[in-house]
DNA sequence: ATGAAAGCGCTAACAC
DNA sequence: GTGTTAGCGCTTTCAT
């Protein structure tokens, strides 16, 4: 492999006996360059394979045309879809995307903010760890707009796009109650994040609206291994172990599909029928949910819509920093399948 | 939000009555600056919240300390893990990561190479679409080292890290044969990529080694929707539909876990027992595989190892461009579960 | 140990 | 239309 010096504007200029400036305009501006010159420049550029140096361009323009994406865990299917939709939109708008993975670690997040500052991104889409936020204030204060996604940092008053987790949970719970369940259980993640808290709220509200009371042992957190995005932060395994020692009710709402998966095994082992003995709902509508035995009723998350909206908000914010921050919650959709469809109960 | 000018070396210099140069060295170099000056500079830098401008630095140094990752589909769990492991390693080495999603589209890939060239990345880890490769030659020839991952582009003679898909498929097939299956079927993706081809080879070889012949209708491609990374390129649904009209054998090897999922439903609907009537294997060991009914025998892919190795190869290549390209295949692991464990047959 | 000067590749003023 | 000049923020000679 030979060490190659990349062609610059100067190479084109000297080959054609023009000034660097003229070449620059010929390649960029609409007018202020004769058609002949422009054609000659473009021909020469193509011939030697000229590619503009974004670094130099960014330095003078003060913008790198780069956005940051700070995300906790790509192995979570919801976030994977988010990455795809965000990358798609960002690229369509002519920006590049810098990816930073935090693994639910505040320390990693802190380092990520430093990287964002150094790289001088024009803005960032952030799934915050929600443990600390002073470093985010620093980013915002240095003029880099942020859009929080999926979880908010209300202290900072930035744009935010999320999912109405409370509503999803409310609907799943109400659906179970409508199906005849009375003794309900909520199995949640033990992460200190608002998504989890919102689902708990939704569960409680649905119970309350149905005239049912909720005792403390009806809302349970499944112990979770953390800080390892090479695996998922939650596993069917953990829910399986946890549920083995559980006094099972007639309806279970879970905070994610993986929990439902572990649960299904426990129920099978105990010889309980789903949904006739116990009806269950998942959360996330992962690709396998429809193909479980029985197919899983679950809450479908609008990942692509969330991602796209986040990028659009960010780009708008880049144009006008003055508008007030907007908080958007996108409504998830309850997908009813056989794990809750118990004709016997209706 | 106030428009903020980021502090520069000059701000520190003028505040302290020093030259920009001295400040630069105080912040960087080991020596050649008095301890007093260095302390003063660092104090002032911290006070005003100085963050070096990577753009300017990169421009003069000729390296942006950025690597590219060009990947087809983050929603594929294998690639999601790859992204995590690569980002982790890249960041640990002080580099930033530019993410580009191609969605299995040659056109997107072409555009991705332009972005890589413009951004002047120091190198790139690439999961190639394998449809065209002239644009990759151009990237390599302009001095940007590439490491191909999971799929190779042999025409270009770059470093490559992959998975020994043939071996995984060989082992899965041999395992089914050892379990008593004689009439076997391979259900594969219909993507024109080497991973699929390699699995087919492994299947054929295992059959041949067992003295079994393979007719053309024993290797089938499941029709696949493509070009939409917001969803997966393959779905249980597709395999389900396809398998409905299939003459079922006593053992089925699938090219990914999603196919196995669709298959399980078909078998259940036909009243066939797994593994007693039909034994099946998946490919990928997705998080749900162990929790299916029955738990799925499948081939676990060493995603993290592949990702880490790829980054290490790339960084080595950045140091010495002269060594010969290395091709590494990492061995996957057959994970045996109940979908193939049929005591009755042994 | 510190400063002055040059330049990375590009674009934006301003002349002509 | 095109060229000249200046400068983005930083690092690297080379003086002092």
């Amino acid at each position: 492999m030979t060490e190659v010096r990349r062609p610059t504007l100067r190479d084109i200029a000297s080959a054609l006996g023009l000034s660097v400036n003229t070449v620059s305009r010929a390649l960029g501006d609409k007018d202020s360059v004769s058609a002949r010159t422009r054609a000659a420049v473009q021909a020469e550029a193509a011939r030697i394979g000229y590619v503009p140096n974004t670094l130099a361009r960014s330095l003078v323009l003060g913008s790198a045309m780069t956005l940051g994406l700070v995300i906790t865990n790509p192995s979570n299917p919801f976030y994977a879809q988010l990455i795809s939709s965000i990358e798609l939109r960002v690229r369509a708008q002519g920006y590049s995307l810098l990816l930073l993975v935090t693994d639910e670690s505040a320390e990693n997040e802190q380092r990520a903010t430093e990287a964002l500052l150094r790289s001088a991104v024009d803005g960032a889409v952030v799934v915050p760890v929600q443990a600390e936020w002073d470093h985010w204030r620093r980013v915002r204060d240095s003029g880099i707009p942020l859009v929080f996604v999926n979880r908010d940092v209300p202290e900072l008053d930035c744009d935010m796009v999320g999912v109405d987790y409370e509503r999803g949970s409310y609907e799943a719970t109400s659906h179970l109650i409508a199906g005849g369940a009375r003794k309900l259980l909520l199995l949640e993640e033990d992460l200190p994040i608002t998504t989890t808290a919102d689902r708990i709220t939704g569960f409680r509200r649905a119970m309350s609206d149905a005239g049912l009371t909720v005792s403390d042992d009806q809302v349970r957190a499944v112990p979770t291994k953390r800080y390892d995005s090479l695996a998922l932060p939650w596993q069917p395994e953990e829910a399986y172990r946890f549920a083995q020692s559980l006094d099972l009710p007639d309806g279970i709402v879970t905070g994610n599909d993986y929990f439902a998966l572990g649960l299904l095994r426990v129920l099978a082992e105990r010889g309980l029928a789903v949904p006739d003995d116990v009806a269950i709902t998942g959360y996330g509508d992962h690709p396998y949910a429809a193909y479980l035995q029985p197919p899983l009723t679950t809450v479908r998350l609008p990942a692509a819509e969330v991602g796209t909206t986040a990028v659009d908000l960010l780009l708008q914010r880049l144009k006008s920093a003055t508008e007030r921050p907007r908080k958007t919650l996108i409504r998830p959709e309850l997908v009813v399948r056989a794990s809750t469809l118990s004709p016997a109960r209706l």
Side-chain angles (χ1 to χ4, degrees), chain A:
Chain A
M1 201 181 302
T2 45
E3 195 51 44
V4 201
R5 198 183 61 77
R6 288 175 56 185
T8 71
L9 287 185
R10 238 176 68 182
D11 298 323
I12 303 181
S14 64
L16 263 44
L18 292 168
S19 80
V20 172
N21 191 329
T22 306
V23 175
S24 169
R25 277 178 310 201
L27 257 24
D29 277 349
K30 316 289 167 202
D31 34 62
S32 80
V33 154
S34 78
R36 273 193 59 187
T37 310
R38 154 165 296 124
V41 166
Q42 286 175 341
E44 176 67 8
R47 197 182 67 75
I48 65 174
Y50 170 77
V51 177
N53 183 328
T54 309
L55 254 40
R57 181 166 220 272
S58 302
L59 182 59
V60 68
L61 256 39
S63 155
M65 288 301 280
T66 298
L67 301 180
L69 171 57
V70 182
I71 208 157
T72 57
N73 186 341
S75 287
N76 179 334
F78 174 67
Y79 290 138
Q81 277 189 270
L82 211 54
I83 292 175
S84 282
S85 59
I86 288 173
E87 197 278 342
L88 190 71
R89 193 67 151 206
V90 162
R91 187 157 40 82
Q93 304 292 332
Y95 285 80
S96 293
L97 188 67
L98 212 62
L99 181 73
L100 295 153
V101 175
T102 60
D103 243 348
E104 299 286 357
S105 142
E107 194 191 333
N108 282 341
E109 193 177 75
Q110 156 77 39
R111 274 199 286 266
T113 59
E114 285 160 19
L116 287 178
L117 286 169
R118 273 198 308 273
S119 311
V121 296
D122 298 299
V125 175
V126 177
V127 179
V129 172
Q130 289 188 323
E132 299 161 25
W133 51 83
D134 247 39
H135 43 272
W136 289 123
R137 169 170 287 125
R138 181 143 173 254
V139 173
R140 188 206 53 184
D141 287 350
S142 78
I144 298 178
L146 302 174
V147 175
F148 289 113
V149 163
N150 198 43
R151 313 171 184 171
D152 197 13
V153 179
E155 289 82 359
L156 284 197
D157 222 37
C158 294
D159 293 321
M160 188 266 175
V161 189
V163 174
D164 193 342
Y165 285 107
E166 180 181 335
R167 170 150 201 161
S169 181
Y170 181 91
E171 289 186 2
T173 309
S174 301
H175 172 69
L176 285 180
I177 296 171
R182 286 296 169 271
K183 205 175 142 226
L184 287 177
L185 185 69
L186 175 63
L187 236 52
E188 264 301 339
E189 300 159 1
D190 71 344
L191 296 178
I193 52 181
T194 48
T195 53
T196 299
D198 289 347
R199 280 193 297 259
I200 294 176
T201 304
F203 175 79
R204 289 187 182 278
R205 195 159 55 79
M207 293 291 279
S208 160
D209 284 1
L212 299 169
T213 58
V214 177
S215 66
D216 280 352
D217 62 354
Q218 281 178 273
V219 176
R220 308 291 291 268
V222 175
T224 293
K225 262 179 294 180
R226 288 183 61 186
Y227 304 156
D228 178 12
S229 75
L230 298 183
L232 291 159
W234 31 82
Q235 309 271 356
E237 178 76 15
E238 295 169 339
Y240 171 72
R241 287 223 196 87
F242 183 75
Q244 276 181 317
S245 59
L246 221 55
D247 194 22
L248 291 175
D250 55 4
I252 306 181
V253 180
T254 67
N256 70 59
D257 285 352
Y258 293 111
F259 289 170
L261 213 44
L263 216 46
L264 281 176
R265 171 172 294 181
V266 171
L267 297 172
E269 287 178 357
R270 294 210 198 165
L272 293 169
V274 178
D276 294 314
D277 295 323
V278 185
I280 75 174
T281 64
Y283 217 108
D285 194 29
H286 291 180
Y288 57 80
Y291 279 81
L292 294 178
Q293 217 51 271
L296 183 66
T297 293
T298 183
V299 179
R300 179 177 299 158
L301 303 177
E305 198 181 344
V306 169
T308 304
T309 307
V311 175
D312 289 348
L313 276 181
L314 189 54
L315 292 173
Q316 278 178 44
R317 179 66 55 190
L318 287 174
K319 286 180 196 138
S320 67
T322 54
E323 286 174 36
R324 297 201 44 208
R326 288 143 300 185
K327 311 278 187 186
T328 309
L329 285 192
I330 298 177
R331 191 179 151 180
E333 177 194 1
L334 183 70
V335 181
V336 177
R337 303 200 180 98
S339 74
T340 57
L341 282 183
S342 175
R345 289 191 191 177
L346 295 174

